[in-house]
Protein backbone atom coordinates (compact mmCIF):
# COMPACT_ATOMS: atom_id res chain seq x y z
CA UNK A 1 0.00 0.00 0.00
CA UNK A 2 2.83 2.40 0.85
CA UNK A 3 4.56 2.01 -2.52
CA UNK A 4 1.29 2.12 -4.45
CA UNK A 5 0.21 5.30 -2.66
CA UNK A 6 3.53 7.01 -3.35
CA UNK A 7 3.37 6.32 -7.11
CA UNK A 8 -0.38 6.77 -7.64
CA UNK A 9 -1.94 9.64 -9.57
CA UNK A 10 -4.05 10.69 -6.62
CA UNK A 11 -3.60 14.44 -6.04
CA UNK A 12 -2.34 13.73 -2.50
CA UNK A 13 0.38 11.32 -3.62
CA UNK A 14 4.09 12.15 -3.65
CA UNK A 15 4.10 11.69 -7.43
CA UNK A 16 1.44 14.38 -7.94
CA UNK A 17 2.95 16.70 -5.32
CA UNK A 18 6.15 16.61 -7.34
CA UNK A 19 4.15 17.59 -10.42
CA UNK A 20 2.67 20.54 -8.53
CA UNK A 21 6.12 21.76 -7.48
CA UNK A 22 7.19 21.80 -11.11
CA UNK A 23 4.05 23.74 -12.06
CA UNK A 24 4.77 26.33 -9.37
CA UNK A 25 8.33 26.79 -10.62
CA UNK A 26 7.66 26.86 -14.36
CA UNK A 27 4.19 28.40 -14.23
CA UNK A 28 1.10 26.74 -15.61
CA UNK A 29 -1.89 27.22 -17.87
CA UNK A 30 -3.85 24.29 -16.47
CA UNK A 31 -7.34 24.76 -15.09
CA UNK A 32 -6.04 24.96 -11.52
CA UNK A 33 -3.17 27.36 -12.30
CA UNK A 34 -4.53 29.25 -15.28
CA UNK A 35 -2.04 31.78 -16.66
CA UNK A 36 -0.05 31.63 -13.44
CA UNK A 37 3.51 32.95 -13.52
CA UNK A 38 6.24 30.86 -11.99
CA UNK A 39 6.88 31.45 -8.31
CA UNK A 40 10.37 32.87 -8.92
CA UNK A 41 9.07 35.40 -11.42
CA UNK A 42 6.44 36.41 -8.87
CA UNK A 43 9.05 36.77 -6.11
CA UNK A 44 11.20 38.92 -8.38
CA UNK A 45 8.29 41.21 -9.26
CA UNK A 46 7.24 41.43 -5.62
CA UNK A 47 10.79 42.26 -4.56
CA UNK A 48 10.92 45.17 -6.99
CA UNK A 49 7.55 46.60 -5.95
CA UNK A 50 7.41 45.89 -2.20
CA UNK A 51 10.65 47.08 -0.63
CA UNK A 52 8.90 47.69 2.68
CA UNK A 53 8.16 43.97 2.99
CA UNK A 54 11.39 42.56 1.58
CA UNK A 55 13.48 44.59 4.04
CA UNK A 56 11.88 42.67 6.92
CA UNK A 57 13.07 39.27 5.66
CA UNK A 58 16.81 39.69 6.38
CA UNK A 59 17.51 38.41 2.87
CA UNK A 60 17.87 40.13 -0.47
CA UNK A 61 15.44 39.08 -3.19
CA UNK A 62 18.29 37.33 -4.98
CA UNK A 63 19.29 35.40 -1.86
CA UNK A 64 15.67 34.53 -1.07
CA UNK A 65 15.20 33.07 -4.55
CA UNK A 66 18.33 30.93 -4.32
CA UNK A 67 17.46 29.64 -0.86
CA UNK A 68 13.94 28.77 -1.99
CA UNK A 69 15.32 27.08 -5.09
CA UNK A 70 17.63 25.01 -2.88
CA UNK A 71 14.73 23.90 -0.66
CA UNK A 72 12.60 22.96 -3.67
CA UNK A 73 15.44 21.01 -5.26
CA UNK A 74 16.01 19.03 -2.07
CA UNK A 75 12.27 18.39 -1.80
CA UNK A 76 12.09 17.15 -5.39
CA UNK A 77 15.16 14.96 -4.87
CA UNK A 78 13.54 13.33 -1.83
CA UNK A 79 10.30 12.82 -3.75
CA UNK A 80 12.17 11.36 -6.73
CA UNK A 81 14.07 8.98 -4.44
CA UNK A 82 10.87 7.84 -2.72
CA UNK A 83 9.13 7.18 -6.03
CA UNK A 84 12.06 5.21 -7.46
CA UNK A 85 12.32 3.23 -4.22
CA UNK A 86 8.58 2.50 -4.36
CA UNK A 87 8.82 1.12 -7.90
CA UNK A 88 11.72 -1.05 -6.77
CA UNK A 89 9.61 -2.45 -3.94
CA UNK A 90 6.74 -3.16 -6.31
CA UNK A 91 9.12 -5.08 -8.58
CA UNK A 92 10.50 -7.07 -5.64
CA UNK A 93 6.98 -8.10 -4.61
CA UNK A 94 6.01 -8.96 -8.19
CA UNK A 95 3.53 -6.11 -8.56
CA UNK A 96 4.91 -5.27 -11.99
CA UNK A 97 8.13 -4.44 -13.80
CA UNK A 98 8.01 -0.60 -13.79
CA UNK A 99 11.40 -0.36 -15.58
CA UNK A 100 9.92 1.81 -18.31
CA UNK A 101 8.28 4.14 -15.76
CA UNK A 102 11.52 4.35 -13.78
CA UNK A 103 13.67 5.25 -16.79
CA UNK A 104 11.10 7.70 -18.12
CA UNK A 105 10.85 9.44 -14.77
CA UNK A 106 14.62 9.70 -14.48
CA UNK A 107 14.82 11.41 -17.86
CA UNK A 108 11.86 13.67 -17.06
CA UNK A 109 13.33 14.54 -13.67
CA UNK A 110 16.69 15.57 -15.14
CA UNK A 111 15.06 17.58 -17.94
CA UNK A 112 12.90 19.39 -15.40
CA UNK A 113 15.92 20.15 -13.24
CA UNK A 114 17.61 21.70 -16.23
CA UNK A 115 14.55 23.72 -17.22
CA UNK A 116 13.99 24.91 -13.65
CA UNK A 117 17.64 25.90 -13.35
CA UNK A 118 17.40 27.98 -16.51
CA UNK A 119 14.24 29.71 -15.25
CA UNK A 120 15.71 30.48 -11.83
CA UNK A 121 19.05 31.56 -13.22
CA UNK A 122 17.54 33.94 -15.78
CA UNK A 123 15.24 35.41 -13.12
CA UNK A 124 17.97 35.81 -10.49
CA UNK A 125 20.15 37.74 -12.94
CA UNK A 126 17.51 40.49 -13.01
CA UNK A 127 16.65 40.39 -9.30
CA UNK A 128 17.73 42.88 -6.65
CA UNK A 129 20.54 41.83 -4.34
CA UNK A 130 20.57 44.78 -1.95
CA UNK A 131 19.58 44.41 1.70
CA UNK A 132 18.63 47.20 4.09
CA UNK A 133 16.54 47.65 7.21
CA UNK A 134 13.05 49.12 7.61
CA UNK A 135 12.06 51.28 10.55
CA UNK A 136 11.87 49.09 13.67
CA UNK A 137 8.56 48.70 15.49
CA UNK A 138 9.98 50.83 18.30
CA UNK A 139 12.86 53.29 18.01
CA UNK A 140 15.28 52.77 20.90
CA UNK A 141 18.27 55.05 21.25
CA UNK A 142 21.49 53.08 21.56
CA UNK A 143 19.89 49.98 20.03
CA UNK A 144 18.21 50.97 16.77
CA UNK A 145 19.64 54.47 16.33
CA UNK A 146 22.05 57.04 17.66
CA UNK A 147 22.41 60.80 17.21
CA UNK A 148 24.86 63.55 16.44
CA UNK A 149 24.45 65.78 19.50
CA UNK A 150 24.86 69.51 20.24
CA UNK A 151 25.60 70.31 16.60
CA UNK A 152 24.20 73.40 14.82
CA UNK A 153 21.81 73.91 17.69
CA UNK A 154 19.25 76.71 17.91
CA UNK A 155 20.75 79.47 20.08
CA UNK A 156 19.32 82.73 21.44
CA UNK A 157 21.93 85.49 21.60
CA UNK A 158 21.81 89.28 21.61
CA UNK A 159 23.57 91.09 18.81
CA UNK A 160 25.49 93.14 21.38
CA UNK A 161 27.40 89.96 22.27
CA UNK A 162 28.32 89.10 18.67
CA UNK A 163 30.77 91.91 18.03
CA UNK A 164 33.84 92.99 19.93
CA UNK A 165 32.62 96.60 20.20
CA UNK A 166 29.38 95.64 22.00
CA UNK A 167 27.34 97.71 19.56
CA UNK A 168 23.80 97.26 18.26
CA UNK A 169 24.27 99.09 14.96
CA UNK A 170 23.38 96.14 12.74
CA UNK A 171 20.48 93.70 12.73
CA UNK A 172 20.23 89.96 13.28
CA UNK A 173 20.46 89.13 9.58
CA UNK A 174 23.90 90.76 9.48
CA UNK A 175 25.35 88.01 11.65
CA UNK A 176 25.50 85.04 9.29
CA UNK A 177 28.89 83.88 10.54
CA UNK A 178 30.06 85.25 13.85
CA UNK A 179 31.11 84.39 17.40
CA UNK A 180 30.03 85.25 20.93
CA UNK A 181 32.55 87.83 22.15
CA UNK A 182 31.07 88.85 25.49
CA UNK A 183 28.20 88.38 27.91
CA UNK A 184 26.92 91.95 28.15
CA UNK A 185 25.99 92.92 31.73
CA UNK A 186 25.39 89.23 32.58
CA UNK A 187 21.90 89.28 31.12
CA UNK A 188 20.27 86.14 29.64
CA UNK A 189 23.65 85.04 28.32
CA UNK A 190 24.74 84.31 31.90
CA UNK A 191 21.84 81.89 32.41
CA UNK A 192 22.75 79.54 29.57
CA UNK A 193 25.88 77.77 28.35
CA UNK A 194 27.92 80.04 26.10
CA UNK A 195 28.61 79.20 22.47
CA UNK A 196 32.40 79.10 22.16
CA UNK A 197 32.39 78.18 18.50
CA UNK A 198 30.89 79.75 15.41
CA UNK A 199 27.42 81.32 15.40
CA UNK A 200 25.70 81.08 12.02
CA UNK A 201 22.47 81.92 10.18
CA UNK A 202 21.05 84.47 12.61
CA UNK A 203 17.55 85.83 12.10
CA UNK A 204 15.14 88.09 13.97
CA UNK A 205 11.85 86.55 15.14
CA UNK A 206 10.49 88.96 17.77
CA UNK A 207 11.87 91.27 20.44
CA UNK A 208 10.57 89.61 23.60
CA UNK A 209 10.07 85.99 24.55
CA UNK A 210 9.70 83.37 27.26
CA UNK A 211 12.32 80.62 27.17
CA UNK A 212 12.10 77.20 28.77
CA UNK A 213 15.68 76.12 29.39
CA UNK A 214 16.22 72.38 29.03
CA UNK A 215 17.58 70.32 31.95
CA UNK A 216 21.31 70.77 32.49
CA UNK A 217 23.75 68.32 30.88
CA UNK A 218 21.19 67.19 28.35
CA UNK A 219 21.25 67.20 24.55
CA UNK A 220 19.03 70.29 24.25
CA UNK A 221 19.52 73.94 25.17
CA UNK A 222 15.82 74.80 25.22
CA UNK A 223 12.63 72.78 25.51
CA UNK A 224 10.58 75.51 23.87
CA UNK A 225 10.45 79.25 23.17
CA UNK A 226 7.32 81.41 23.11
CA UNK A 227 7.53 84.88 21.58
CA UNK A 228 5.37 87.79 22.63
CA UNK A 229 3.73 87.82 19.20
CA UNK A 230 2.35 84.33 19.91
CA UNK A 231 4.78 82.28 17.85
CA UNK A 232 5.97 79.12 19.62
CA UNK A 233 9.13 77.24 18.73
CA UNK A 234 9.09 73.62 19.85
CA UNK A 235 6.50 71.64 21.77
CA UNK A 236 5.24 73.79 24.63
CA UNK A 237 4.76 71.75 27.79
CA UNK A 238 5.54 72.22 31.45
CA UNK A 239 9.01 73.59 32.18
CA UNK A 240 11.11 71.80 34.80
CA UNK A 241 13.56 74.70 35.25
CA UNK A 242 10.97 77.45 35.17
CA UNK A 243 10.31 79.90 32.36
CA UNK A 244 12.80 82.75 31.80
CA UNK A 245 11.56 86.10 30.42
CA UNK A 246 13.96 87.56 27.86
CA UNK A 247 13.49 91.08 26.44
CA UNK A 248 15.40 93.03 23.82
CA UNK A 249 16.12 96.66 24.65
CA UNK A 250 16.87 100.10 23.14
CA UNK A 251 20.17 101.90 23.50
CA UNK A 252 20.14 105.73 23.34
CA UNK A 253 16.79 105.62 21.51
CA UNK A 254 18.57 104.90 18.24
CA UNK A 255 19.85 101.34 18.43
CA UNK A 256 17.71 98.30 19.12
CA UNK A 257 19.70 95.54 20.83
CA UNK A 258 17.78 92.55 19.53
CA UNK A 259 17.84 88.96 20.65
CA UNK A 260 18.50 86.83 17.59
CA UNK A 261 17.72 83.22 16.82
CA UNK A 262 20.95 81.68 15.52
CA UNK A 263 22.69 78.31 15.32
CA UNK A 264 25.66 77.38 17.48
CA UNK A 265 28.49 75.27 16.05
CA UNK A 266 30.63 74.63 19.13
CA UNK A 267 33.04 71.72 18.76
CA UNK A 268 34.42 72.37 22.26
CA UNK A 269 31.06 71.61 23.87
CA UNK A 270 31.70 68.66 26.25
CA UNK A 271 28.28 67.23 25.37
CA UNK A 272 28.78 67.14 21.60
CA UNK A 273 29.10 63.87 19.65
CA UNK A 274 30.02 64.77 16.08
CA UNK A 275 32.87 62.47 15.07
CA UNK A 276 33.24 59.72 12.46
CA UNK A 277 36.00 57.11 12.45
CA UNK A 278 38.26 57.26 9.37
CA UNK A 279 40.31 54.15 10.08
CA UNK A 280 39.80 51.16 7.81
CA UNK A 281 37.91 48.15 9.15
CA UNK A 282 38.88 44.82 7.57
CA UNK A 283 38.04 41.15 7.98
CA UNK A 284 40.58 38.50 8.97
CA UNK A 285 41.65 37.60 5.42
CA UNK A 286 44.59 35.54 6.70
CA UNK A 287 42.04 33.08 8.04
CA UNK A 288 39.93 33.30 4.87
CA UNK A 289 37.21 35.44 6.43
CA UNK A 290 35.01 37.91 4.55
CA UNK A 291 32.52 40.57 5.62
CA UNK A 292 28.99 39.20 6.11
CA UNK A 293 27.28 42.20 7.71
CA UNK A 294 27.76 45.82 8.81
CA UNK A 295 26.27 48.32 11.22
CA UNK A 296 26.93 51.78 12.66
CA UNK A 297 27.86 51.98 16.32
CA UNK A 298 28.82 54.92 18.55
CA UNK A 299 31.61 54.58 21.10
CA UNK A 300 33.23 57.42 23.07
CA UNK A 301 31.28 59.90 20.95
CA UNK A 302 32.66 58.52 17.66
CA UNK A 303 30.54 56.84 14.96
CA UNK A 304 32.20 53.62 13.76
CA UNK A 305 31.33 51.09 11.07
CA UNK A 306 31.44 47.65 12.64
CA UNK A 307 31.69 44.53 10.50
CA UNK A 308 30.46 40.98 10.92
CA UNK A 309 32.78 38.37 9.42
CA UNK A 310 32.64 34.68 8.59
CA UNK A 311 34.81 31.97 7.05
CA UNK A 312 34.46 31.57 3.28
CA UNK A 313 33.78 28.03 2.00
CA UNK A 314 33.53 26.43 -1.45
CA UNK A 315 31.21 28.05 -3.99
CA UNK A 316 30.91 31.21 -1.94
CA UNK A 317 29.15 29.66 1.04
CA UNK A 318 29.80 30.84 4.60
CA UNK A 319 30.60 28.72 7.64
CA UNK A 320 27.70 29.76 9.89
CA UNK A 321 29.51 28.62 13.04
CA UNK A 322 32.36 31.07 12.38
CA UNK A 323 30.20 34.22 12.35
CA UNK A 324 31.21 36.98 14.77
CA UNK A 325 31.23 40.77 15.06
CA UNK A 326 34.74 42.16 14.86
CA UNK A 327 35.47 44.46 17.85
CA UNK A 328 35.68 48.15 16.96
CA UNK A 329 38.86 50.14 17.45
CA UNK A 330 37.53 52.36 20.23
CA UNK A 331 39.54 55.45 21.15
CA UNK A 332 39.31 58.89 22.70
CA UNK A 333 39.60 61.72 20.17
CA UNK A 334 41.89 63.66 22.51
CA UNK A 335 44.64 61.14 21.77
CA UNK A 336 44.08 60.94 17.99
CA UNK A 337 44.51 63.19 14.99
CA UNK A 338 41.59 64.94 13.29
CA UNK A 339 41.48 64.30 9.55
CA UNK A 340 43.53 61.12 9.90
CA UNK A 341 41.87 59.06 12.61
CA UNK A 342 38.51 60.80 12.69
CA UNK A 343 36.41 63.43 10.95
CA UNK A 344 34.72 66.20 12.93
CA UNK A 345 31.48 67.68 11.62
CA UNK A 346 31.40 71.47 11.35
CA UNK A 347 29.15 74.01 9.67
CA UNK A 348 31.46 73.94 6.66
CA UNK A 349 32.11 70.18 6.58
CA UNK A 350 28.90 68.28 7.35
CA UNK A 351 28.00 66.38 4.18
CA UNK A 352 27.83 62.60 3.75
CA UNK A 353 27.94 61.03 0.29
CA UNK A 354 25.23 58.45 -0.45
CA UNK A 355 26.53 55.69 -2.70
CA UNK A 356 25.98 52.09 -3.76
CA UNK A 357 29.44 50.59 -4.19
CA UNK A 358 29.75 47.31 -6.12
CA UNK A 359 32.95 45.26 -6.37
CA UNK A 360 34.33 43.83 -9.63
CA UNK A 361 33.41 40.28 -10.58
CA UNK A 362 35.00 37.49 -8.51
CA UNK A 363 35.66 39.86 -5.58
CA UNK A 364 34.07 39.69 -2.13
CA UNK A 365 33.79 42.38 0.54
CA UNK A 366 36.67 42.28 3.03
CA UNK A 367 36.87 45.87 4.27
CA UNK A 368 35.14 49.22 4.59
CA UNK A 369 35.97 52.73 5.75
CA UNK A 370 35.08 56.41 5.60
CA UNK A 371 37.39 58.92 3.97
CA UNK A 372 37.21 62.65 3.29
CA UNK A 373 36.72 64.19 -0.14
CA UNK A 374 36.68 67.94 0.33
CA UNK A 375 34.19 68.55 3.10
CA UNK A 376 32.29 65.31 2.47
CA UNK A 377 32.42 61.97 4.24
CA UNK A 378 32.78 59.38 1.50
CA UNK A 379 32.44 55.59 1.73
CA UNK A 380 35.11 53.24 0.42
CA UNK A 381 35.01 49.43 0.33
CA UNK A 382 37.69 46.77 -0.09
CA UNK A 383 37.31 43.72 -2.30
CA UNK A 384 39.43 40.56 -2.36
CA UNK A 385 39.50 38.15 -5.28
CA UNK A 386 38.51 34.56 -4.54
CA UNK A 387 38.45 31.14 -6.17
CA UNK A 388 34.84 29.97 -6.41
CA UNK A 389 35.75 26.27 -6.54
CA UNK A 390 38.04 26.16 -3.52
CA UNK A 391 36.43 29.01 -1.61
CA UNK A 392 39.84 30.53 -0.89
CA UNK A 393 40.80 34.20 -1.08
CA UNK A 394 43.55 34.60 -3.65
CA UNK A 395 46.97 35.70 -2.37
CA UNK A 396 45.50 35.49 1.16
CA UNK A 397 43.77 38.80 0.47
CA UNK A 398 47.05 40.70 0.10
CA UNK A 399 46.20 41.98 -3.39
CA UNK A 400 42.88 43.51 -2.44
CA UNK A 401 41.48 46.63 -4.10
CA UNK A 402 39.60 49.63 -2.71
CA UNK A 403 36.49 50.82 -4.57
CA UNK A 404 34.82 54.22 -4.18
CA UNK A 405 32.83 56.89 -5.99
CA UNK A 406 35.01 59.98 -6.40
CA UNK A 407 32.27 62.14 -7.91
CA UNK A 408 31.51 65.42 -6.10
CA UNK A 409 28.83 68.07 -6.15
CA UNK A 410 31.32 70.32 -7.96
CA UNK A 411 32.00 67.88 -10.81
CA UNK A 412 31.57 69.26 -14.31
CA UNK A 413 29.84 66.14 -15.63
CA UNK A 414 26.83 64.86 -13.67
CA UNK A 415 27.67 66.38 -10.26
CA UNK A 416 26.25 64.87 -7.11
CA UNK A 417 22.80 66.09 -6.17
CA UNK A 418 21.67 66.98 -2.68
CA UNK A 419 18.91 65.26 -0.71
CA UNK A 420 16.88 68.16 0.66
CA UNK A 421 15.14 67.94 4.02
CA UNK A 422 11.92 69.97 4.18
CA UNK A 423 11.10 71.28 7.66
CA UNK A 424 12.63 68.19 9.26
CA UNK A 425 11.43 67.05 12.66
CA UNK A 426 12.75 64.35 14.99
CA UNK A 427 12.44 61.14 12.91
CA UNK A 428 11.41 58.92 15.84
CA UNK A 429 8.16 60.80 16.46
CA UNK A 430 5.17 58.54 15.87
CA UNK A 431 3.14 61.27 14.17
CA UNK A 432 5.64 61.46 11.33
CA UNK A 433 5.06 57.95 10.00
CA UNK A 434 7.40 55.33 8.60
CA UNK A 435 10.68 56.41 7.07
CA UNK A 436 11.44 54.83 3.68
CA UNK A 437 14.42 55.08 1.30
CA UNK A 438 14.27 58.41 -0.51
CA UNK A 439 17.81 58.80 -1.84
CA UNK A 440 19.63 57.29 -4.80
CA UNK A 441 23.20 56.54 -5.76
CA UNK A 442 25.51 59.52 -6.34
CA UNK A 443 23.73 61.92 -3.99
CA UNK A 444 24.71 63.52 -0.69
CA UNK A 445 23.02 64.86 2.42
CA UNK A 446 24.05 67.45 4.99
CA UNK A 447 23.59 67.20 8.72
CA UNK A 448 21.41 70.07 9.84
CA UNK A 449 19.03 71.10 12.61
CA UNK A 450 15.41 70.19 13.08
CA UNK A 451 12.76 72.66 12.01
CA UNK A 452 12.59 75.86 14.06
CA UNK A 453 8.84 75.72 14.60
CA UNK A 454 8.65 72.00 15.31
CA UNK A 455 11.66 71.62 17.60
CA UNK A 456 13.32 75.04 18.05
CA UNK A 457 16.25 73.70 16.02
CA UNK A 458 17.50 71.66 18.98
CA UNK A 459 18.22 68.29 17.36
CA UNK A 460 20.76 67.35 14.69
CA UNK A 461 19.34 65.30 11.83
CA UNK A 462 19.49 62.85 10.15
CA UNK A 463 19.83 60.29 12.92
CA UNK A 464 22.18 57.32 12.47
CA UNK A 465 20.51 53.92 12.03
CA UNK A 466 22.39 51.34 14.14
CA UNK A 467 20.36 48.25 13.22
CA UNK A 468 22.30 45.18 12.09
CA UNK A 469 22.41 44.75 8.33
CA UNK A 470 23.49 41.13 8.08
CA UNK A 471 21.74 38.61 5.82
CA UNK A 472 20.30 35.50 7.47
CA UNK A 473 21.43 32.88 6.73
CA UNK A 474 24.94 34.36 6.33
CA UNK A 475 26.15 34.99 2.80
CA UNK A 476 29.19 36.59 1.18
CA UNK A 477 28.79 40.22 0.10
CA UNK A 478 29.78 41.94 -3.13
CA UNK A 479 29.15 45.53 -2.15
CA UNK A 480 27.95 48.03 0.43
CA UNK A 481 26.44 51.48 0.50
CA UNK A 482 24.91 54.31 2.48
CA UNK A 483 21.45 55.74 1.87
CA UNK A 484 18.92 58.05 3.51
CA UNK A 485 15.58 56.82 4.81
CA UNK A 486 12.98 59.49 5.48
CA UNK A 487 9.51 60.85 4.86
CA UNK A 488 7.73 64.21 4.76
CA UNK A 489 8.71 66.46 7.69
CA UNK A 490 11.19 63.89 8.99
CA UNK A 491 14.93 64.32 9.44
CA UNK A 492 15.21 60.63 8.64
CA UNK A 493 18.11 58.26 9.12
CA UNK A 494 21.45 57.66 7.46
CA UNK A 495 21.73 53.90 7.19
CA UNK A 496 23.98 51.21 5.69
CA UNK A 497 23.04 48.64 3.08
CA UNK A 498 24.80 45.57 1.69
CA UNK A 499 24.73 43.67 -1.59
CA UNK A 500 24.64 39.88 -1.42
CA UNK A 501 26.61 37.49 -3.62
CA UNK A 502 24.70 36.40 -6.74
CA UNK A 503 24.55 32.61 -6.84
CA UNK A 504 22.84 32.47 -10.24
CA UNK A 505 26.04 31.45 -12.00
CA UNK A 506 26.73 28.73 -9.43
CA UNK A 507 23.50 26.76 -9.77
CA UNK A 508 25.18 24.21 -12.02
CA UNK A 509 28.00 23.82 -9.48
CA UNK A 510 25.58 23.18 -6.62
CA UNK A 511 23.52 20.72 -8.68
CA UNK A 512 25.87 19.03 -11.19
CA UNK A 513 23.26 16.34 -11.90
CA UNK A 514 21.39 18.98 -13.93
CA UNK A 515 23.94 18.57 -16.71
CA UNK A 516 23.14 14.86 -16.98
CA UNK A 517 19.92 15.69 -18.83
CA UNK A 518 21.93 16.21 -22.00
CA UNK A 519 23.60 12.79 -21.79
Amino acid sequence: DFASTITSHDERSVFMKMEKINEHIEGSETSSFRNTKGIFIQINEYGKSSDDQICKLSQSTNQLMFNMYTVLQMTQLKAYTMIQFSWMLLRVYNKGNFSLESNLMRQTYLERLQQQALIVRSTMVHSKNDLWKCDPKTHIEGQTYTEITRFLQGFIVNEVDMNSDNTCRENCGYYQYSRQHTCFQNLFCSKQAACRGNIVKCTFVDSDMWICLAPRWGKRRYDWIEYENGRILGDKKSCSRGVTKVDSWWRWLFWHCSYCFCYCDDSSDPLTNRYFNLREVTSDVENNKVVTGIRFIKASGVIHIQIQEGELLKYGEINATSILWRPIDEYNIDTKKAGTDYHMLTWEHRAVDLDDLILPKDHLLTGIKFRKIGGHLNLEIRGSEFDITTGKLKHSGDKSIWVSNDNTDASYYKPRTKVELYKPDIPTKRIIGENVPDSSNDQYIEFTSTDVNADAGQTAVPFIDTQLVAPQPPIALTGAGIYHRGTTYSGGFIAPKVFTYDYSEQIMNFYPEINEADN
Side-chain angles (χ1 to χ4, degrees), residues 485-514:
R485 196 172 70 244
T487 188
T488 306
Y489 304 118
S490 170
F493 297 84
I494 288 177
K497 66 166 65 174
V498 296
F499 295 86
T500 59
Y501 179 71
D502 181 9
Y503 280 114
S504 61
E505 295 185 5
Q506 307 307 325
I507 287 177
M508 302 302 182
N509 290 326
F510 275 92
Y511 301 99
E513 63 271 16
I514 292 173

Side-chain angles (χ1 to χ4, degrees), residues 149-157 162 175-180 192-202 219 221-222 260-269 272 274 345-347 350 448-449 456-460:
T149 59
R150 305 280 281 205
F151 174 68
L152 290 185
Q153 201 161 41
F155 182 62
I156 299 295
V157 58
M162 288 191 286
Y175 298 97
Q176 293 301 295
Y177 195 91
S178 185
R179 298 182 72 88
Q180 182 176 349
Q192 66 172 346
C195 179
R196 295 181 175 83
N198 295 318
I199 297 175
V200 299
K201 291 184 63 178
C202 293
K219 291 182 289 187
R221 286 179 174 271
Y222 320 118
C260 308
F261 185 92
C262 311
Y263 294 90
C264 174
D265 179 18
D266 184 0
S267 61
S268 66
D269 189 328
T272 188
R274 56 170 71 194
L345 296 179
T346 64
W347 164 253
R350 54 194 172 103
T448 186
S449 304
Q458 293 300 294
T459 309

Side-chain angles (χ1 to χ4, degrees), residues 292 309-314 316-324 474:
T292 57
E309 63 178 7
E311 181 188 6
L312 182 65
L313 303 176
K314 292 192 297 184
E317 291 194 289
I318 298 295
N319 179 2
T321 63
S322 69
I323 295 296
L324 57 83

Side-chain angles (χ1 to χ4, degrees), residues 300-358:
S300 300
V302 181
I303 304 295
H304 295 257
I305 301 176
Q306 187 177 25
I307 63 171
Q308 183 193 78
E309 63 178 7
E311 181 188 6
L312 182 65
L313 303 176
K314 292 192 297 184
Y315 303 124
E317 291 194 289
I318 298 295
N319 179 2
T321 63
S322 69
I323 295 296
L324 57 83
W325 285 94
R326 201 163 178 85
I328 61 171
D329 183 16
E330 185 174 355
Y331 54 81
N332 189 306
I333 61 166
D334 295 335
T335 63
K336 303 303 175 184
K337 185 177 180 180
T340 300
D341 297 298
Y342 66 90
H343 169 66
M344 181 178 71
L345 296 179
T346 64
W347 164 253
E348 299 86 355
H349 300 150
R350 54 194 172 103
V352 179
D353 290 338
L354 307 173
D355 288 313
D356 295 339
L357 302 179
I358 306 298

